[in-house]
Amino acid sequence: MESVKSTESTDGDWDLSINHWRSRTIWILIFSFYNASAGYRIGAGWKIYKYCLSNTNFYVDFLWSIFFLSVMVEWTMQTTAYFDQKQPWRNEFLKRFFIQIIFIYLPTIFYLECMDRLYLQITDRALFRIPQNILQLPFSMGISLIYTLFYSLASLYREYMAGIGEVEILINDEKQGKIAAIKQNNLQDNPVITMRDGKDIRLMDLDIVLICNNNGMNTIYERNPANPPIQDSHALKYLVERLDTKEYYQITRWELVHRSVIKGYEVNGDKNFRLQLDFPLEQQLVINKDKIDDFAKWLLDENDG
């Protein structure tokens, strides 16, 4: 048979379409030749030309077989394509199969049988009922069954492949959704802090050594003292949650420091501890005496590692 194409799509190899008229015509010619020649005895030695091809009636039968079978095939193909849209195979398979029998198989048998009777009355020769008893069933029933099953199976296969494609699309969409969600989460974990040269600069893009909060406004210091401090309105807790706790320590509710700029600490007169920094910061960073043990443990753990 032919590769069937859809009237709406030319991408798949098994869609229903009128575009494959060449292969359809070839098979119609083959079946028509068989139908016309099977009605004539070829005698001993398979003398096809003497008993068949030299007979004018053979060519008349051949031409009318082509016409009647072309109409049958066109009806079978177009009706199957119509039901593909109205009643897909995945929606009640048995109902669709019953529809195929009622509206395609039985009508095509009835059509060929009527044409056979009409042909018999006009020419006194049966067209689709082979007199040689090669087949127990009339040729009209066999050829109708072949085409009905072929287009049904082709349509079923096309829908099956389309279903696989839909599943792949859903899987790809789900993957893309997850990737988009991950990217969105990453962006939320790396908020925009400032702008430079018209571009957004995010928290992780900066080499931060100190953050000091005053009246709800963060002052962010970068490692290079030549860079002016950055003013930021995020809550300090929001920034602390997104920075590496192994590298940053929140010494008070308003101050965060990177371990790389800590040179040490010394005791104040009030028994609190003042940090010694390798960074030109005017204000002093003081750790409460109740917090010094936790701070020392954090600092020594990394140093030991």
Side-chain angles (χ1 to χ4, degrees):
M1 287 296 169
E2 66 196 282
S3 241
V4 216
K5 287 265 181 189
S6 171
T7 53
E8 297 181 353
S9 171
T10 57
D11 295 335
D13 290 334
W14 290 88
D15 298 337
L16 295 176
S17 170
I18 59 175
N19 296 333
H20 289 78
W21 59 270
R22 289 183 180 177
S23 58
R24 190 158 51 249
T25 301
I26 290 174
W27 281 104
I28 289 174
L29 290 175
I30 292 174
F31 284 125
S32 297
F33 180 84
Y34 169 78
N35 180 58
S37 61
Y40 298 89
R41 296 183 181 275
I42 57 178
W46 291 76
K47 299 178 181 180
I48 298 177
Y49 177 79
K50 179 179 179 181
Y51 296 100
C52 180
L53 300 183
S54 61
N55 193 326
T56 305
N57 291 336
F58 162 78
Y59 296 100
V60 175
D61 295 346
F62 180 54
L63 292 176
W64 280 108
S65 295
I66 293 175
F67 175 77
F68 292 139
L69 291 182
S70 297
V71 174
M72 183 208 72
V73 171
E74 189 70 17
W75 168 261
T76 303
M77 183 194 67
Q78 295 295 346
T79 308
T80 303
Y82 174 79
F83 287 128
D84 283 348
Q85 300 177 356
K86 299 299 181 179
Q87 182 67 44
W89 285 95
R90 63 178 176 270
N91 298 335
E92 302 183 24
F93 177 87
L94 294 179
K95 180 179 179 181
R96 169 62 188 268
F97 187 72
F98 181 74
I99 291 175
Q100 295 286 114
I101 294 176
I102 296 298
F103 290 96
I104 298 179
Y105 181 53
L106 294 181
T108 51
I109 293 178
F110 182 74
Y111 160 73
L112 293 180
E113 285 294 303
C114 288
M115 295 303 101
D116 184 80
R117 293 297 180 89
L118 178 63
Y119 197 80
L120 180 62
Q121 293 180 3
I122 296 175
T123 65
D124 199 29
R125 295 192 307 276
L127 186 61
F128 295 110
R129 288 183 173 271
I130 302 171
Q132 309 303 327
N133 294 325
I134 296 176
L135 297 175
Q136 295 298 319
L137 298 176
F139 183 73
S140 57
M141 184 177 295
I143 194 67
S144 177
L145 179 63
I146 289 173
Y147 273 96
T148 301
L149 288 178
F150 171 75
Y151 281 109
S152 297
L153 292 175
S155 179
L156 181 61
Y157 176 79
R158 178 181 64 84
E159 187 162 342
Y160 169 75
M161 296 304 295
I164 293 179
E166 290 176 0
V167 172
E168 292 178 348
I169 291 174
L170 291 175
I171 293 175
N172 291 333
D173 289 345
E174 184 178 354
K175 289 182 178 179
Q176 293 297 329
K178 289 181 178 179
I179 292 174
I182 291 173
K183 289 181 178 179
Q184 183 64 30
N185 291 334
N186 290 339
L187 292 178
Q188 292 176 354
D189 290 338
N190 191 16
V192 175
I193 299 300
T194 187
M195 292 188 64
R196 287 177 182 168
D197 300 326
K199 295 182 180 179
D200 292 340
I201 304 299
R202 297 184 176 273
L203 180 67
M204 302 306 178
D205 298 337
L206 300 171
D207 190 5
I208 300 172
V209 294
L210 284 166
I211 301 179
C212 299
N213 185 281
N214 185 24
N215 295 326
M217 182 63 68
N218 297 313
T219 303
I220 300 176
Y221 298 89
E222 295 184 82
R223 187 176 302 279
N224 185 359
N227 293 336
I230 299 171
Q231 299 300 312
D232 173 70
S233 60
H234 288 94
L236 181 59
K237 180 181 178 182
Y238 179 83
L239 302 182
V240 170
E241 292 174 347
R242 284 155 180 76
L243 293 173
D244 187 358
T245 56
K246 292 182 179 181
E247 299 296 327
Y248 293 90
Y249 190 88
Q250 187 175 3
I251 58 177
T252 69
R253 292 175 57 188
W254 305 278
E255 295 155 332
L256 183 79
V257 63
H258 192 279
R259 68 168 55 254
S260 63
V261 296
I262 301 175
K263 295 171 59 178
Y265 53 89
E266 57 185 15
V267 182
N268 275 342
D270 57 2
K271 296 184 180 181
N272 290 324
F273 294 83
R274 182 177 66 254
L275 289 185
Q276 297 174 346
L277 302 178
D278 185 17
F279 189 82
L281 183 68
E282 295 181 359
Q283 71 184 77
Q284 293 184 355
L285 300 184
V286 178
I287 303 178
N288 188 281
K289 59 184 177 181
D290 297 332
K291 201 172 183 179
I292 192 64
D293 290 340
D294 182 70
F295 173 77
K297 182 179 178 181
W298 169 78
L299 187 62
L300 292 175
D301 280 350
E302 183 66 21
N303 290 337
D304 290 342

